[in-house]
Amino acid sequence: VQLQASGGGAVQAGGSLTLSCVASGRTYRTYMGWFRQAPGKEREFVAAISWSATYTKFADSVKGRFTISMHNDPKMVRLQMNSLNPEDTAVYYCAAGASGDSWYDVTGSPRDFTSWGQGTLVTVSS
């Protein structure tokens, strides 16, 4: 699976941004998600969505502020980020599981995902 992310940028605290990620290749029944990595910190899980868009998972730090959606023609995942704060500043990475991997095995670990996009920077100023 090849992933192309877009939509990062700079925004003031309280603002909103939408990240998009287009997937190509072997995308049949692949769940997708977003991770982020702030300077000096490890990559952390943000959100994920099942291939059918029936199920979603969110990190506690973004629950109620971020939403994730899936579109299947073309295959695309979007992360709508609202009420952003400076702690959300990071490089955001789109990720996808392998075709046919079970959603029920997704824990939010980077090891659950086999394909990664190039990252898009989100900067939130106070």
Side-chain angles (χ1 to χ4, degrees), residues 21-23 27 29-30 32 51 70-77:
C21 178
V22 177
T27 63
R29 294 200 175 202
T30 51
M32 297 183 70
W51 67 269
M70 174 86 84
H71 307 271
N72 283 301
D73 188 21
K75 195 168 187 75
M76 177 187 297
V77 61

Side-chain angles (χ1 to χ4, degrees), residues 32-37 42-49 56-63 66 68 92-93 95 103 106-110 112-113 116:
M32 297 183 70
W34 292 91
F35 287 73
R36 66 187 182 186
Q37 188 165 18
E42 292 188 355
R43 189 169 298 191
E44 65 172 359
F45 172 75
V46 176
I49 187 167
T56 58
K57 292 181 186 287
F58 293 93
D60 288 344
S61 59
V62 306
K63 278 181 182 176
F66 290 12
I68 189 169
Y92 283 70
Y93 295 91
W103 166 258
V106 174
T107 63
S109 166
D112 298 333
F113 297 82
W116 295 84

Side-chain angles (χ1 to χ4, degrees), residues 2 9 14 17 33 49 61 64 73 80 97 111 120 124:
Q2 293 76 48
L17 277 176
I49 187 167
S61 59
D73 188 21
Q80 174 67 43
R111 291 188 296 273
T120 184
V124 185

Side-chain angles (χ1 to χ4, degrees), residues 64-116:
R65 299 189 298 122
F66 290 12
T67 58
I68 189 169
S69 59
M70 174 86 84
H71 307 271
N72 283 301
D73 188 21
K75 195 168 187 75
M76 177 187 297
V77 61
R78 282 202 171 101
L79 186 69
Q80 174 67 43
M81 306 184 293
N82 299 323
S83 301
L84 286 161
N85 58 61
E87 290 70 37
D88 296 315
T89 294
V91 176
Y92 283 70
Y93 295 91
C94 174
S99 179
D101 278 357
S102 174
W103 166 258
Y104 300 104
D105 294 332
V106 174
T107 63
S109 166
R111 291 188 296 273
D112 298 333
F113 297 82
T114 56
S115 300
W116 295 84

